[in-house]
Amino acid sequence: SEELWQWLAGYVLPYAEISAQDDTLMGVFLDFENYWPGRPGNLYELSYDDVILKAFAADRALELPALALDQRQAWLTEKGLHDAFRDFQIAHWRRKCRELREAVDRINPQFVFNIYPAPGTMFMLEACYPEWATAKAPLILSDPWTYGRSGRYVSHDVALKNNQRIIERGLATARERGINHIYL
């Protein structure tokens, strides 16, 4: 939604301005966990909301039937449009991420984005990674999956080995994207 992007810019750009004057502020930490009561998980996957679906339909000159939210994915799939819709939405995410990065770069090109939880959701992998990582400002990827033991009764040595594998998988995901990054 446009409200999300305005909200993000409303915080990120003032931080970038401060960082241009005070190098002890190097960037911003963006937590994409969902804390809404009863709806745990990480944000964002594809959305089938009115705004993006109508934009897609307008772009394709499609006539949309009245569809309940839970019917939209199936309708797009049935019409052979789901892959195009996915690509359209990702392109929209990327454009919005790029616009924010460009606005930040006009203020402080060394300003970094730190995103959580890494390696990330579709939104993070497909839009944040390529648009927020630059040669001057690596994308910081904060991985929460090794905060503790991998199982309650797992021995210390096994837990360390399991966590090592988790980190290696996450790091491989970041490296496969070919971006300038720091993996935490």
Side-chain angles (χ1 to χ4, degrees):
S1 72
E2 195 55 39
E3 293 86 358
L4 171 67
W5 294 103
Q6 289 172 6
W7 182 86
L8 276 173
Y11 283 99
V12 171
L13 297 178
Y15 292 143
E17 290 170 3
I18 294 168
S19 75
Q21 304 303 314
D22 183 348
D23 63 5
T24 59
L25 178 61
M26 62 183 284
V28 65
F29 181 91
L30 298 173
D31 182 345
F32 289 109
E33 286 183 300
N34 182 11
Y35 295 104
W36 190 259
R39 302 233 168 111
N42 297 318
L43 307 170
Y44 295 89
E45 298 299 329
L46 289 179
S47 175
Y48 300 90
D49 63 84
D50 290 342
V51 173
I52 195 69
L53 195 61
K54 286 178 182 176
F56 174 72
D59 184 69
R60 291 284 182 120
L62 295 172
E63 195 150 331
L64 285 175
L67 295 166
L69 192 58
D70 64 351
Q71 297 172 334
R72 295 172 183 189
Q73 181 178 2
W75 181 82
L76 288 163
T77 301
E78 176 186 305
K79 298 295 181 189
L81 296 169
H82 196 270
D83 288 347
F85 175 75
R86 177 189 183 278
D87 294 346
F88 179 85
Q89 189 162 154
I90 289 170
H92 174 74
W93 291 342
R94 287 195 62 174
R95 181 175 54 81
K96 299 305 280 184
C97 284
R98 185 171 38 258
E99 289 170 356
L100 183 57
R101 178 78 245 182
E102 289 169 351
V104 163
D105 285 348
R106 286 190 291 276
I107 300 165
N108 179 1
Q110 284 82 33
F111 187 83
V112 298
F113 287 83
N114 182 335
I115 58 175
Y116 175 93
T121 63
M122 180 186 292
F123 169 71
M124 294 161 72
L125 294 166
E126 299 290 342
C128 299
Y129 274 44
E131 301 301 338
W132 288 347
T134 70
K136 293 181 180 180
L139 182 63
I140 300 175
L141 305 168
S142 294
D143 185 334
W145 308 113
T146 59
Y147 283 174
R149 290 180 185 269
S150 54
R152 178 180 240 174
Y153 301 108
V154 174
S155 72
H156 185 71
D157 290 342
V158 171
L160 286 173
K161 205 59 157 157
N162 288 343
N163 283 350
Q164 178 183 358
R165 281 192 291 277
I166 291 167
I167 291 169
E168 288 170 349
R169 273 195 311 268
L171 188 53
T173 298
R175 286 181 175 155
E176 287 166 6
R177 298 293 171 153
I179 62 163
N180 184 16
H181 70 279
I182 297 170
Y183 202 87
L184 302 177

